[in-house]
Amino acid sequence: MADDSGTATAEKKDVRESEEWQKAVEYSITDEDIERQNKLLGYYQPAKTREYIQTATTDNIRNFAHGCGDDNPLFCDPEYARGTRWGSVIAPGMMTGVINSPMKGDPTPDEIRALKKSLFKGVHVFVSGSKWNFYRPVFPGDTIYSYNGDETCEVKQSEFSGRSVITVRKDVKVNQRGEVVAVYRILRVLTERKTAAKKGKYADLKPAEYDDAAIAEIDEVYANEKVRGAEPRLFDDVTVGDSLGKMAKGPLTVTDVICFHAGGYGFVPYAPTVGRLAYKNRMRIPAFYIKNEYGVPDVAQRLHWDPVWAQAIGNPMAYDYGVMRENYLWHYLNDWAGDDGVITYVHDEIRKFNYMGDVQFVTGEVTGKREEGGQNLVDVEVRFINQRDTETVKANATIALPKKKGIAMYPEVPRELAEEAAEMMARHWELSKR
């Protein structure tokens, strides 16, 4: 209940005392779940979800970049971008992962439906890293479709959450011309909420606090960040051991998470929704909704902004989405590579949580350079270190750079993959005519 001013008058309760929370933590990873998951490996199907963004535009590209703290004019300023080799604004590469228009395909076989029904119900999912192969940019007007399936499934014992399952899902991202834009492999860790809540591995971790001097030190990093931009970074001028510079991200706030969602991260089909849409979503996936301390059903993913719920499942405070730091990684790499560079491969490992109040300092160095398949490639390693001097992300990437004569190119799509994607899109267009 609330009084006329809108002030809550009901006494707050410990969310862990609610019936919904008790049910939520009862869900376990079962041998049957693991057996069913293994039977699904290698089965790929069209992604029928409609993400917040289905077609790239000048505006949503800019908004997505801004949602990641990236003001690179290649993404944000059409007039500037017209003067680059691309002739237009292009999307930050990892934005490809959040664009999706429903792809049509043949009905899912009954045996696959049965395997997927309530699989790992109520189990918490962490994104723990990814691998990207990039084959072409996304321009305004490009619609992205995808098909996906799980490649691997591994059972482990986790220090934080006891028994866990690690899966790799492969998403093939295709544009409206049937061209492969990227392949996105997502490393997901599935854990039992009850185990995570009991372990409390990070329970003694204290929120970061900053005085004016500490904020000034972070601001100095921001002030010295460089966007390479229009000045080509040439392969000939790069040396193994070169620094990629230093970037700051944070201190993390709830505002950062809101901006990331507002920029286009939909988290579909589990997206935060409002009013009647939230009601319909709750009817569709009731296990995803757990009452808060006021007795209101709310999404389980609120652990990214609600410290009470985060603590209820074993974390000391709310924390970011792993994909936020993956996009920060792209920002860092692209600032160094410049407009003429092409990021062809990224592999990141999300090693620790990024809690509210944490700041990430991003550094990297060149670890190798080579000529391969007509490409001039530079290999780099990148680390995210927080204010506790803890490594939270480790990554490596490959970037194609131009020589003094010539331009850097994307790699060719493997023939089998190109044919597979073309067939999927041909079937989509065939079904779309009916």
Side-chain angles (χ1 to χ4, degrees):
M1 299 291 293
D3 61 24
D4 291 340
S5 67
T7 303
T9 56
E11 182 180 352
K12 290 195 298 183
K13 297 180 180 179
D14 187 335
V15 68
R16 290 169 292 189
E17 295 177 358
S18 71
E19 183 179 351
E20 285 75 11
W21 186 86
Q22 295 295 334
K23 289 180 179 178
V25 299
E26 286 175 1
Y27 295 121
S28 300
I29 294 172
T30 67
D31 291 338
E32 180 190 3
D33 282 333
I34 296 167
E35 182 180 355
R36 288 161 61 194
Q37 175 65 64
N38 281 319
K39 289 180 179 179
L40 288 167
L41 298 182
Y43 175 77
Y44 296 94
Q45 64 180 12
K48 298 181 180 179
T49 53
R50 177 178 287 105
E51 282 286 356
Y52 282 3
I53 299 174
Q54 299 179 76
T55 300
T57 68
T58 299
D59 287 338
N60 61 39
I61 289 172
R62 180 192 65 247
N63 291 341
F64 184 83
H66 284 180
C68 300
D70 191 345
D71 59 356
N72 191 326
L74 180 61
F75 311 136
C76 305
D77 184 343
E79 184 176 352
Y80 169 90
R82 278 193 290 271
T84 69
R85 62 171 289 193
W86 310 106
S88 163
V89 164
I90 60 174
M94 287 189 181
M95 183 180 176
T96 313
V98 305
I99 307 175
N100 202 72
S101 187
M103 177 186 276
K104 294 186 177 181
D106 295 317
T108 303
D110 290 342
E111 60 269 25
I112 298 297
R113 287 183 180 274
L115 289 172
K116 288 189 171 187
K117 186 176 181 181
S118 299
L119 182 63
F120 295 119
K121 180 180 179 181
V123 170
H124 197 72
V125 182
F126 299 91
V127 173
S128 185
S130 69
K131 290 183 180 180
W132 280 91
N133 293 92
F134 296 98
Y135 296 106
R136 53 180 39 85
V138 172
F139 291 93
D142 281 351
T143 299
I144 301 298
Y145 304 85
S146 62
Y147 58 95
N148 58 51
D150 288 330
E151 287 188 315
T152 62
C153 173
E154 183 181 4
V155 181
K156 282 192 172 183
Q157 287 296 125
S158 165
E159 182 182 357
F160 172 62
S161 56
R163 193 186 197 191
S164 62
V165 173
I166 300 172
T167 67
V168 173
R169 192 184 81 182
K170 174 182 172 182
D171 283 53
V172 180
K173 311 295 288 188
V174 187
N175 65 23
Q176 72 276 15
R177 293 177 293 276
E179 301 166 331
V180 177
V181 175
V183 175
Y184 182 21
R185 289 178 170 87
I186 308 168
L187 180 67
R188 298 175 299 171
V189 180
L190 293 80
T191 64
E192 298 170 340
R193 289 176 184 154
K194 64 180 179 182
T195 315
K198 288 178 181 177
K199 289 282 183 179
K201 176 183 175 184
Y202 303 108
D204 295 332
L205 205 64
K206 302 301 181 185
E209 295 185 3
Y210 301 87
D211 57 20
D212 289 345
I215 294 297
E217 288 182 10
I218 298 168
D219 286 348
E220 185 176 359
V221 178
Y222 280 119
N224 288 298
E225 291 176 6
K226 304 292 185 183
V227 179
R228 184 72 177 192
E231 181 185 356
R233 185 178 295 281
L234 299 178
F235 178 80
D236 315 70
D237 298 334
V238 172
T239 303
V240 172
D242 284 354
S243 170
L244 275 62
K246 187 174 184 178
M247 176 178 279
K249 287 291 185 180
L252 180 69
T253 65
V254 172
T255 302
D256 295 345
V257 177
I258 292 172
C259 288
F260 189 61
H261 272 296
Y265 184 61
F267 203 74
V268 174
Y270 307 104
T273 46
V274 178
R276 185 165 62 241
L277 288 175
Y279 160 76
K280 289 181 177 179
N281 208 38
R282 180 158 47 91
M283 295 300 101
R284 181 178 66 88
I285 44 173
F288 191 64
Y289 285 76
I290 298 95
K291 286 183 180 179
N292 64 18
E293 65 268 37
Y294 301 102
V296 179
D298 201 355
V299 292
Q301 79 186 86
R302 70 183 188 267
L303 51 79
H304 294 294
W305 54 84
D306 181 348
V308 174
W309 174 234
Q311 290 164 8
I313 63 170
N315 274 289
M317 59 203 99
Y319 53 92
D320 72 349
Y321 293 101
V323 290
M324 291 176 68
R325 274 176 283 166
E326 291 178 339
N327 279 275
Y328 298 163
L329 171 63
W330 177 277
H331 180 187
Y332 178 73
L333 293 172
N334 201 82
D335 271 8
W336 181 82
D339 297 344
D340 291 352
V342 172
I343 300 169
T344 65
Y345 172 78
V346 176
H347 173 210
D348 62 84
E349 300 172 5
I350 309 296
R351 297 192 158 193
K352 297 290 183 180
F353 292 104
N354 181 25
Y355 292 110
M356 288 297 161
D358 284 0
V359 62
Q360 303 293 325
F361 296 105
V362 190
T363 58
E365 69 173 65
V366 175
T367 57
K369 55 183 295 188
R370 53 201 161 91
E371 297 183 27
E372 184 177 295
Q375 294 277 79
N376 306 304
L377 303 176
V378 173
D379 298 315
V380 303
E381 290 187 357
V382 179
R383 302 174 71 204
F384 286 46
I385 305 291
N386 66 18
Q387 77 284 351
R388 300 183 187 90
D389 201 31
T390 300
E391 182 181 73
T392 73
V393 176
K394 182 177 181 179
N396 60 283
T398 300
I399 303 169
L401 293 178
K403 284 194 169 183
K404 291 179 180 178
K405 293 182 179 180
I407 59 174
M409 300 295 292
Y410 281 92
E412 289 188 14
V413 180
R415 181 174 178 177
E416 184 177 345
L417 176 61
E419 291 176 351
E420 177 185 79
E423 289 176 4
M424 295 290 287
M425 283 304 298
R427 184 59 174 155
H428 165 80
W429 292 123
E430 180 183 355
L431 293 171
S432 297
K433 296 176 181 178
R434 297 181 180 180

